[in-house]
Amino acid sequence: MAQATNRVDVPVSVDQSKCIDGCTLCVDVCPLDSLAIDPETNKAYMHVDECWYCGPCAARCPVDAVTVNIPYLLR
Amino acid sequence: MSPDAVAARILGLLDLADEDPTHEELEPYLADPAPEVRRNALGVLSDHTEDWTAASPVFAAALTDEDPAVRAAATRLVRELSEVLVPGEEFDAALRRATTHADATVRLEAIDALWRHRLTTVDELTGLSGDPDAAVRCEVVLGFVSLDALDALARAADDPDPSVRLAVARGLGAVGDPRGTATLTCLAADPEFLVRAAALTAMARTGCGDEAVHVAVAALTDDAWEVRQGAANALSSAAPDERGAAALVTALGDENLDVRKAAVKTLGAWLPSRPAVRSSLESALSDVDADVRAYARMSLTN
């Protein structure tokens, strides 16, 4: 599976300033295990560039830090 | 409260969520000073509660929370959980408080919950029908529909906003009472073409009396194809007569395929009592639209 090298231009972006250190809700709900916790910052990020655009990661985030960037043709 | 303190409270709530918390355990979070915590506590409560009688007033009360994000979460949950929420004294009182809230979305959701749970009356809804927001007034109309309140719907048909009049027309169709035809006849002359179309379409459910037939026949020459389609549908509930049949045969040559389809369906229903329309239906067998041809064939073979 392709690794996400650019953490901004990925299907799911996480606002690091809002993400809560210690929360793993988005990681837990992702059906593709595309999200992970950065061991250095303890914040979530998208580590593989795969997404079904299903949305629970954004819906369950307690601080609205997760945004699913749904492609125009899928909206 | 500092962002770190809020984050700590949310983490505490999420830890608690893993242990199937009771309503009492969640209460400190539901009354937390931080709106983010209150919002998440509502979500956790909806996920884990088994006592809906105790939980229902909490969701209703959150509709009037001071924070817009908490109110938005509450409105979503009250709608989503409609089938499991249990009405009771506190629940009803909280919904009634919400009907006078400054936020129109809250008022709308409260009215929606009141009529869906059968907690409201025509008099109460009439009192709410003067709301300045048209979307709220549309919700009031849905409440009238749930109570089959034909007189109240007739009064709402004079609303200055077309979306409310549209809701009235659709609502009268949903009620399906022939006594609603008089109001629909008035709405069939509405300046807004979508209202006219909805009123005529609704006549197919309420029945089409002599005056309504006259209106429907005239509407078959309306500029808007939606209205012409509605008129052809309306005539399906009318007694077959020469005037209507002639207008529908003309509509078979309409430039819009949906109008032709509606006309062919109505003429098909009229065929047993007016065999003279058979030749017109036979000519529709060569229509350029497959649906029109199919409905014509069905009418002629059944």
Side-chain angles (χ1 to χ4, degrees), chain B residues 22-68:
Chain B
T22 61
H23 185 185
E24 288 72 28
E25 287 172 317
L26 285 170
E27 264 176 3
Y29 294 98
L30 290 164
D32 198 278
E36 296 93 334
V37 178
R38 296 201 298 278
R39 178 168 64 88
N40 284 289
L42 285 176
V44 173
L45 179 65
S46 72
D47 285 344
H48 295 279
T49 190
E50 289 178 4
D51 182 1
W52 288 100
T53 306
S56 297
V58 176
F59 296 113
L63 286 173
T64 49
D65 193 282
E66 63 191 35
D67 185 81

Side-chain angles (χ1 to χ4, degrees), chain B residues 241-256:
Chain B
D241 68 355
E242 186 62 39
R243 180 178 46 154
L248 285 167
V249 167
T250 306
L252 286 179
D254 196 281
E255 62 182 13
N256 184 282

Side-chain angles (χ1 to χ4, degrees), chain B residues 6-145:
Chain B
V6 173
R9 293 283 291 163
I10 290 174
L11 284 176
L13 176 65
L14 296 178
D15 284 343
L16 190 61
D18 291 336
E19 298 161 14
D20 279 339
T22 61
H23 185 185
E24 288 72 28
E25 287 172 317
L26 285 170
E27 264 176 3
Y29 294 98
L30 290 164
D32 198 278
E36 296 93 334
V37 178
R38 296 201 298 278
R39 178 168 64 88
N40 284 289
L42 285 176
V44 173
L45 179 65
S46 72
D47 285 344
H48 295 279
T49 190
E50 289 178 4
D51 182 1
W52 288 100
T53 306
S56 297
V58 176
F59 296 113
L63 286 173
T64 49
D65 193 282
E66 63 191 35
D67 185 81
V70 179
R71 293 201 299 271
T75 53
R76 184 178 55 78
L77 286 167
V78 166
R79 182 167 290 248
E80 189 178 306
L81 302 171
S82 178
E83 290 181 12
V84 290
L85 292 177
V86 182
E89 204 172 304
E90 278 183 76
F91 180 74
D92 305 1
L95 288 181
R96 293 212 157 77
R97 275 197 305 279
T99 60
T100 56
H101 196 271
D103 186 342
T105 312
V106 169
R107 297 199 299 275
L108 186 152
E109 203 57 53
I111 293 167
D112 180 271
L114 280 171
W115 72 257
R116 280 186 195 280
H117 290 281
R118 301 226 158 256
L119 300 172
T120 191
T121 61
V122 175
D123 286 343
E124 184 182 29
L125 288 170
T126 303
L128 297 167
S129 63
D131 196 283
D133 191 278
V136 177
R137 297 201 300 279
C138 285
E139 195 61 51
V140 171
V141 166
L142 295 180
F144 288 143
V145 173

Side-chain angles (χ1 to χ4, degrees), chain B residues 172-251:
Chain B
L172 286 168
V175 173
D177 192 311
R179 289 172 295 172
T181 310
T183 307
L184 289 172
T185 305
C186 296
L187 288 172
D190 196 275
E192 172 64 39
F193 74 96
L194 287 176
V195 178
R196 296 200 298 277
L200 288 159
T201 304
M203 283 181 191
R205 307 278 299 274
T206 61
C208 220
D210 204 41
E211 188 186 350
V213 168
H214 182 75
V215 169
V217 167
L220 276 171
T221 56
D222 196 283
D223 288 341
W225 68 264
E226 293 92 337
V227 179
R228 298 198 300 275
Q229 182 196 24
N233 284 328
L235 288 170
S236 67
S237 67
D241 68 355
E242 186 62 39
R243 180 178 46 154
L248 285 167
V249 167
T250 306

